Amino acid sequence: MLLSAILVALLATISQWWFFAPITRCMTYPLTTGLIVGIFMGHPMLGMLAGANIQLVYLGWINTGGVMPSNTMVAGIFGTALTILAGANPKLAVTFAVPFSLIGLLMVEIYQSINSFWVHRADAELAKGNVKAIRFLNYIPSLIVALVVYGIPAFCLVYFGRGWASSMLKMIPKSLTTALEVVGAIMPALGIAMLLNYLGKKTLVPYFFIGFFLTAYLHLQIMAIAIFAGLLAYLIYINDKDKTNNKVTATPKKKVRRLTLNNRTGEQEEVAKPSTMDMTQAAKSLSPLNYKLRLTKSDLVKTWLWEQSDEAAYNYERLQALGLTNMMIYPIKKLYPKERQAEELKKYMVFFNTEPHMIGPVIHGIALSMEEARANGAKISAEDINGVRTGLMGPAAGIGDTVQQGILFPILASIGATMALDHNYFGPVMFTLVFLLIIYSIGYGMFMYGYKKGKESVISILKSGLLDKVTKAFSIVGLMVVGTMAATRVTIKTPLIWHVGQSTIKLQSLFNQLAPSLIPLLITLLVWWLLRKKINATWIVVGIFVVGILCSYLGVFATI
């Protein structure tokens, strides 16, 4: 048990201490950590099932702008560990995980608040010209804080918790255990509803119902739905692209008032607007061929790898600033003499936050392009570089978080969780590997593209209209997969029976005749409606606990 406690403690530590994103990225997801905790504690199947059940609740919990609505790292690791310690039904993992996730919010506040001290220490070291201190301050103090805040509690839970966890479960009455299973069966409706709230544009909502009823009536598996949705989305994407290409290419005109030799009265006349192509071509390239100081392909790759530690010392005051300063040490040393290096790094110690893995790296590529030009004598100031960085971090975050957390993650996690709940170990493995491969392949490409094209890159991406079409296509796939999840993973039914004369009517059979899985659909839509009414998700969680327990005792709801 000592070894298990140490391994789980290390996992809990790196779930918050993001020292290298390709390793730590999926440690925030219960689907991944559930299996790992299960392996460490000698119960891989129970761990995987517990993690998959917990993941369903958090399908739609999206962390944006440095705001964490719920601590999924603590929920997954601590909730799975307690489930294994108690030898409980994996359906109860949700009821264990949710309280931990709320406690975890306090833990992340402590972690990110303390990390703010290292930022000020880094300011002082740069003022003294000590560049080497940045590496130490980015990694070591934050590791110690993560170990104290996350690792030690996880160690204590696993090492000392087996006895009291089993006793606690035995003390719970059978009726309450059944009621908590009902709560666990309802809870995935919240994650699904949050995704609907995020993706559910009016024109796209029907795809959710298509996915739901294809599963409810035809009993299609989630992989079949995903393949069908992907093909349908591709056809829609091609159709949208053809419509764009078939539009009239004549330069649009607008009416203005101006005095000319041919218009001396100032009457309105039509003039051509500058086209998007003209604006893109007018953007100034920052990568001329005659530089004396140049970054090689190897330099760029190394800088991209250092960028994967940009959230190791994530803090409330300046968020990614210390990590990005650490990233820029290598290229700054290549481009500037030693006496200028600390001064050049100071510009990166300002507040900065964007989506760091997929779209955000394009900003760092652009910054490198501008640094290279500055080092070669171009009239580019530190304010110019930070102006571009801060101006782009919002759009990049909006695009990156939408595609990664709102579309890509729920599609892959839904498939992975479904496979896991079918006792297939490939589910969480597939999710982890494919998710990492996609986001870091795109992120690497965006980083290199930003460096190569400079400021032109973001102009061309944002103004081409391609992103909207791709996002729409992925949203269609996501909504159909989410519809499948609503039909299969909100596992609730009613045992109510009506007596009419000499006959009895089972209410569940009546619902099945109207539409299979009707109760799960109605519950999901109700939670979605509450979210649209701006009801806080935490209050909805509390409401699900209260309603689930009450309806179980009243005999209104039961698990399938």
Side-chain angles (χ1 to χ4, degrees):
M1 187 53 67
L2 176 62
L3 179 60
S4 296
I6 292 174
L7 291 174
V8 173
L10 290 175
L11 179 64
T13 300
I14 67 172
S15 74
Q16 178 61 74
W17 181 54
W18 301 325
F19 70 97
F20 188 65
I23 294 175
T24 61
R25 180 67 184 90
C26 284
M27 300 308 169
T28 61
Y29 296 129
L31 180 58
T32 300
T33 56
L35 176 59
I36 297 174
V37 170
I39 292 172
F40 288 168
M41 297 182 67
H43 296 277
M45 179 58 70
L46 180 55
M48 180 180 70
L49 293 174
N53 276 291
I54 296 169
Q55 185 65 79
L56 294 180
V57 179
Y58 296 105
L59 278 177
W61 294 76
I62 297 172
N63 303 328
T64 57
V67 177
M68 181 177 289
S70 186
N71 196 324
T72 58
M73 298 97 75
V74 171
I77 295 172
F78 285 64
T80 300
L82 187 56
T83 303
I84 294 173
L85 289 170
N89 187 319
K91 291 182 179 180
L92 289 176
V94 172
T95 60
F96 295 151
V98 171
F100 276 123
S101 74
L102 298 178
I103 297 172
L105 291 178
L106 176 61
M107 297 166 73
V108 80
E109 286 179 6
I110 295 171
Y111 176 79
Q112 294 188 17
S113 296
I114 295 177
N115 278 346
S116 298
F117 290 104
W118 322 134
V119 178
H120 294 282
R121 183 65 181 171
D123 287 335
E125 293 298 331
L126 285 178
K128 294 186 293 186
N130 187 1
V131 173
K132 292 182 179 179
I134 300 301
R135 291 246 193 269
F136 175 86
L137 290 170
N138 188 58
Y139 294 107
I140 304 305
S142 56
L143 167 61
I144 295 172
V145 177
L147 182 63
V148 172
V149 176
Y150 285 79
I152 292 177
F155 176 87
C156 293
L157 173 66
V158 175
Y159 190 71
F160 300 108
R162 180 176 295 278
W164 65 261
S166 300
S167 300
M168 177 191 68
L169 190 64
K170 291 178 181 178
M171 291 172 60
I172 299 176
K174 177 63 176 175
S175 59
L176 181 56
T177 301
T178 301
L180 291 176
E181 290 179 359
V182 170
V183 172
I186 297 174
M187 200 66 76
L190 176 58
I192 295 166
M194 293 182 78
L195 284 173
L196 273 173
N197 202 41
Y198 195 76
L199 300 175
K201 296 180 180 179
K202 290 183 179 180
T203 56
L204 298 180
V205 168
Y207 292 104
F208 166 79
F209 291 100
I210 291 174
F212 178 88
F213 286 113
L214 282 175
T215 301
Y217 282 104
L218 302 181
H219 305 290
L220 295 180
Q221 299 297 316
I222 191 168
M223 188 61 73
I225 296 292
I227 294 172
F228 175 76
L231 294 173
L232 179 61
Y234 177 73
L235 292 175
I236 293 173
Y237 167 77
I238 293 297
N239 184 59
D240 288 346
K241 189 176 180 181
D242 289 342
K243 286 181 179 179
T244 301
N245 293 335
N246 290 332
K247 286 183 177 179
V248 179
T249 57
T251 303
K253 295 184 177 182
K254 63 178 181 179
K255 289 186 176 182
V256 298
R257 293 182 182 274
R258 67 178 184 180
L259 292 171
T260 66
L261 290 175
N262 297 322
N263 181 13
R264 298 177 183 273
T265 61
E267 295 179 357
Q268 284 189 346
E269 63 178 8
E270 289 187 340
V271 296
K273 295 180 181 179
S275 67
T276 300
M277 184 61 67
D278 293 335
M279 294 172 67
T280 302
Q281 290 174 348
K284 199 171 183 179
S285 174
L286 296 173
S287 299
L289 299 176
N290 58 349
Y291 283 172
K292 294 180 180 179
L293 297 168
R294 296 186 61 83
L295 295 172
T296 65
K297 181 65 174 293
S298 175
D299 296 331
L300 296 174
V301 172
K302 290 177 181 178
T303 304
W304 177 75
L305 289 173
W306 281 114
E307 189 260 333
Q308 305 311 315
S309 300
D310 65 346
E311 293 184 322
Y314 199 73
N315 61 89
Y316 278 131
E317 184 175 329
R318 299 187 216 173
L319 300 178
Q320 298 169 355
L322 182 55
L324 293 176
T325 305
N326 175 70
M327 173 194 76
M328 291 301 297
I329 290 175
Y330 184 82
I332 290 294
K333 284 186 173 181
K334 287 292 298 284
L335 293 172
Y336 296 99
K338 187 174 182 179
E339 60 271 15
R340 283 186 61 183
Q341 290 169 6
E343 188 64 30
E344 293 297 336
L345 282 171
K346 288 181 182 179
K347 71 173 85 71
Y348 293 95
M349 286 298 298
V350 298
F351 175 92
F352 189 89
N353 193 49
T354 193
E355 184 279 312
H357 304 123
M358 282 183 64
I359 307 300
V362 74
I363 302 175
H364 312 317
I366 294 171
L368 282 177
S369 178
M370 297 180 76
E371 285 287 4
E372 196 175 46
R374 175 177 164 86
N376 281 278
K379 294 182 178 180
I380 298 175
S381 67
E383 291 75 17
D384 292 333
I385 295 175
N386 272 336
V388 171
R389 292 173 71 239
T390 56
L392 294 176
M393 69 180 186
I399 297 167
D401 288 333
T402 297
V403 174
Q404 183 189 145
Q405 296 189 63
I407 298 175
L408 181 62
F409 161 71
I411 292 173
L412 294 175
S414 297
I415 295 172
T418 299
M419 296 174 71
L421 292 172
D422 289 335
H423 297 75
N424 188 341
Y425 285 115
F426 185 66
V429 175
M430 178 278 301
F431 158 73
T432 303
L433 295 180
V434 174
F435 185 71
L436 292 177
L437 178 63
I438 292 175
I439 64 175
Y440 290 107
S441 296
I442 295 175
Y444 175 82
M446 293 299 291
F447 182 89
M448 295 300 178
Y449 187 69
Y451 169 77
K452 181 179 179 181
K453 295 294 184 179
K455 289 185 293 186
E456 291 181 12
S457 60
V458 175
I459 293 174
S460 61
I461 290 172
L462 295 180
K463 294 189 175 182
S464 65
L466 177 65
L467 186 65
D468 290 336
K469 299 179 182 64
V470 173
T471 301
K472 178 182 176 181
F474 275 104
S475 296
I476 290 171
V477 178
L479 284 167
M480 291 185 67
V481 169
V482 168
T484 300
M485 298 297 292
T488 57
R489 296 307 167 192
V490 184
T491 54
I492 204 74
K493 66 178 181 179
T494 177
L496 288 176
I497 298 176
W498 287 348
H499 296 278
V500 181
Q502 298 297 319
S503 61
T504 59
I505 299 175
K506 292 183 178 181
L507 192 58
Q508 184 62 50
S509 299
L510 182 61
F511 282 140
N512 290 341
Q513 292 176 9
L514 294 173
S517 301
L518 182 59
I519 293 177
L521 177 61
L522 294 176
I523 291 175
T524 302
L525 294 178
L526 173 61
V527 176
W528 182 30
W529 178 79
L530 292 173
L531 290 171
R532 290 176 65 87
K533 292 296 181 180
K534 308 300 183 183
I535 304 298
N536 189 285
T538 302
W539 286 112
I540 295 177
V541 169
V542 174
I544 290 174
F545 266 92
V546 173
V547 172
I549 292 173
L550 184 62
C551 288
S552 176
Y553 276 103
L554 294 176
V556 176
F557 285 155
T559 57
I560 296 176

